[in-house]
Amino acid sequence: AEGSKFLTNKKFYFAIILIADILFGDTDTPLENMFNKILADFATVKTSAETFSRIPLLDEENLAILSEDSITVLVEYEHALKNFFTMTFPENYFAGKKVLSWNIIERGNRKLDMRSLLRFAKQGFLLPHLLNVETFQDVIISIVPPRTPEEHEYFQQCVLIKDYEAEAENSRPLLHSQEPLVAFHEFLLILARIALQCLKMHGSSAEKLEVLLNERLGIPKKGEKAPKNSLYSSTMLKVGFLDLADEDDDDDSLENWDDSVEIEDPQAILAEYEKQNEE
């Protein structure tokens, strides 16, 4: 960024490519290998005695969603996905307004609880329309594999499945001491894995991911508007979000959240969205 204090997007991406070439230049796909390394080493689980690395299972499906093409799709939708992730937190969802901003979530490395993830999947008609809850749990385990005895117990006791059957996602989360939590990058990989594994269509992992994000969930690319009847739009209205998908990168979109926006019966909007998807 010679002559400038800040990197533009293009210069930043070019710098990332150069770094990948330096670190993994002896491989066929240096950028993909660097992202794999970043994602694998990012999250850790700490106990009083040990620290466990949180590494997604490197099976065939996860290697496919960690491809450069799939990551490029996630980058294109990253702005709106940050909004979605922020809106899914119970502090925001149940308050009906911003309580946690993206900045707070990012700086504090805040993670999403299982009930909130379950609610997101049901409202997005991923459950049970695209996959059943048992498959949903398997997807989570492949991205956020249990690393402690307590996390193993959470899945072995089928707590997530029991919450689904009891419709407990409509209640505020009661965090289990053993409950695994989902970071933002893991949230993205869970969506990518669902797209690859559950969409019955021909196409690459990147093509399936774009269909899931854009057509199924109505998530807009940066600079585009979300469809009015999409889950994304209705959820934004429910918590008082403005449509910020076309804001500049330099703006803190979530800090510009307008809490004074008047919303006419957000529950009716959600009900209409669900009705249209059931037809």
Side-chain angles (χ1 to χ4, degrees):
E2 186 177 350
S4 172
K5 292 175 62 178
F6 303 102
L7 285 173
T8 64
N9 274 349
K10 289 183 179 179
K11 289 179 179 178
F12 173 76
Y13 294 140
F14 182 63
I16 291 296
I17 292 171
L18 290 179
I19 293 172
D21 284 337
I22 293 172
L23 296 177
F24 297 96
D26 57 340
T27 66
D28 294 334
T29 54
L31 188 60
E32 180 178 333
N33 288 327
M34 185 175 74
F35 276 120
N36 286 348
K37 181 67 175 177
I38 292 171
L39 290 167
D41 290 346
F42 184 84
T44 59
V45 178
K46 294 183 179 179
T47 68
S48 57
E50 298 178 81
T51 298
F52 299 87
S53 296
R54 176 80 76 194
I55 304 173
L57 299 179
L58 295 180
D59 58 12
E60 184 178 349
E61 287 81 4
N62 279 354
L63 289 175
I65 65 176
L66 288 171
S67 68
E68 189 170 337
D69 289 343
S70 294
I71 292 170
T72 299
V73 172
L74 290 174
V75 169
E76 291 176 345
Y77 289 91
E78 182 183 23
H79 181 90
L81 285 166
K82 285 179 180 178
N83 286 349
F84 229 153
F85 188 69
T86 300
M87 291 184 288
T88 305
F89 271 79
E91 292 90 337
N92 294 334
Y93 181 84
F94 290 106
K97 63 178 182 178
K98 180 185 71 172
V99 177
L100 284 179
S101 70
W102 167 253
N103 274 345
I104 292 174
I105 292 170
E106 183 180 38
R107 292 168 185 169
N109 193 24
R110 296 287 298 269
K111 299 179 181 180
L112 197 63
D113 64 277
M114 287 288 123
R115 279 192 181 180
S116 295
L117 186 64
L118 185 62
R119 184 180 64 251
F120 165 83
K122 288 186 72 172
Q123 290 186 344
F125 291 91
L126 305 180
L127 288 171
H129 303 73
L130 193 59
L131 71 167
N132 59 42
V133 68
E134 291 81 9
T135 302
F136 185 59
Q137 177 171 277
D138 290 341
V139 168
I140 294 172
I141 291 173
S142 72
I143 302 298
V144 191
R147 283 292 179 265
T148 66
E150 292 79 14
E151 290 184 354
H152 279 284
E153 184 180 355
Y154 176 86
F155 289 117
Q156 288 171 355
Q157 292 184 354
C158 301
V159 177
L160 180 72
I161 296 173
K162 292 175 182 176
D163 280 350
Y164 172 81
E165 293 171 346
E167 298 186 350
E169 75 280 354
N170 296 320
S171 305
R172 290 181 179 274
L174 299 173
L175 293 182
H176 303 269
S177 60
Q178 73 269 35
E179 178 176 348
L181 302 176
V182 176
F184 177 62
H185 76 278
E186 293 166 339
F187 174 72
L188 303 186
L189 294 179
I190 287 171
L191 291 177
R193 174 92 182 207
I194 289 173
L196 176 63
Q197 188 171 323
C198 302
L199 281 180
K200 304 304 181 184
M201 57 171 280
H202 295 292
S204 65
S205 60
E207 290 168 337
K208 290 184 176 183
L209 178 56
E210 181 139 23
V211 168
L212 179 74
L213 297 180
N214 191 260
E215 297 182 16
R216 297 293 295 248
L217 297 176
I219 301 176
K221 292 182 182 179
K222 182 167 177 59
E224 296 180 354
K225 299 288 185 180
K228 289 184 178 180
N229 293 325
S230 68
L231 174 67
Y232 182 81
S233 293
S234 59
T235 307
M236 283 187 20
L237 284 172
K238 183 184 187 302
V239 295
F241 245 73
L242 296 175
D243 191 350
L244 299 169
D246 56 357
E247 293 285 347
D248 293 332
D249 282 336
D250 292 337
D251 293 338
D252 188 349
S253 302
L254 301 177
E255 292 299 332
N256 293 335
W257 193 332
D258 187 351
D259 288 338
S260 66
V261 174
E262 294 292 334
I263 305 169
E264 296 183 2
D265 195 0
Q267 292 297 334
I269 295 173
L270 284 172
E272 177 62 24
Y273 168 78
E274 292 173 0
K275 180 181 177 182
Q276 290 183 10
N277 277 273
E278 289 172 355
E279 294 175 350

